[in-house]
């Protein structure tokens, strides 16, 4: 079984709709992250959480919100989706050890029409 | 803020060496990473180097770090078609976040 899973894997929605992307992990890691990937722009950090009671904005948090429901679950919400939020979204986890690698989920491809 | 830059594309012939370059700005970076992303998948760690090292070799992969110039490179020897992917350079500090480059798309031609 995959250690970091994301649901859904693909989603098409309309402008103005509320969307939730979910991430679950079985790695027992405290730290979780949400990124979006756009062609030519690499990965940009949306939000991150270093433990269940810790939520931090990344470089592009506007238009997004997150919830850390448990150590294993970190969900990303788009309250009112807009077309420029069309992207590939990745969840990642890491331990709290300095310099530890991040483990990525398979990604969610979101299209906002 | 932190910035990590890489060229966007590299094309090589099968059997040749590939060299992917990366520059970063944060002098407090403690670890530097290379991740590989295959089509339709998330990123996977390929290799990493601690900032007090200048070279690391792992089978076909050689990482060189010039800390003075804040320059990192990844050399893949005897490049194979299976090496075709997007390669991301990333850096992290003790603060626990990573900053990723835009990724270099490596195309290996038979």
């Amino acid at each position: 079984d995959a250690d970091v899973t994301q649901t859904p894997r693909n989603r098409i929605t309309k402008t103005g709709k509320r969307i939730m992307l979910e991430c679950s992990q079985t790695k027992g890691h405290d730290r979780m992250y949400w990124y979006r990937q756009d062609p030519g722009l690499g990965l940009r950090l949306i939000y991150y959480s270093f433990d269940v009671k810790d939520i931090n904005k990344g470089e592009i948090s506007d238009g997004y919100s997150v919830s850390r429901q448990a150590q294993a679950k970190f969900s990303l919400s788009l309250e009112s989706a807009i077309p420029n939020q069309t992207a590939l979204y990745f969840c990642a986890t890491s331990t709290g050890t300095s310099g530890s690698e991040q483990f990525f989920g398979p990604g969610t491809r979101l299209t906002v029409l | 803020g932190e910035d990590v830059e890489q060229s966007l594309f590299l094309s090589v012939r099968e059997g040749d060496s590939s060299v992917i370059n990366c520059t970063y700005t944060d002098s407090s970076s403690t670890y530097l990473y290379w991740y590989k992303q295959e089509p339709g998948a998330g990123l996977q760690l390929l290799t990493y180097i601690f900032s007090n090292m200048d070279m690391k070799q792992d089978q076909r992969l050689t990482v060189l770090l010039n800390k003075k110039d804040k320059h990192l490179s990844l050399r893949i020897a005897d490049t194979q078609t299976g090496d075709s992917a997007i390669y991301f350079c990333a850096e992290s500090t003790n603060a626990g976040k990573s900053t990723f480059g835009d990724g270099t798309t490596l195309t290996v031609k038979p």
Side-chain angles (χ1 to χ4, degrees), chain B residues 17-30:
Chain B
S17 291
S18 306
V19 179
I20 303 172
N21 294 300
C22 169
T23 57
Y24 61 98
T25 58
D26 191 343
S27 57
S28 64
S29 296
T30 52

Side-chain angles (χ1 to χ4, degrees), chain B residues 56-62 75-77:
Chain B
K56 180 178 181 181
Q57 187 149 6
D58 183 2
Q59 299 182 338
R60 293 190 297 122
L61 305 178
T62 303
R75 179 177 181 269
I76 305 173

Side-chain angles (χ1 to χ4, degrees), chain B residues 9-13 16-18 104-109:
Chain B
F9 301 100
L10 177 65
S11 180
V12 300
R13 293 229 172 259
D16 289 349
S17 291
S18 306
T104 299
T105 298
L106 173 64
T107 302
V108 182
K109 298 179 180 178

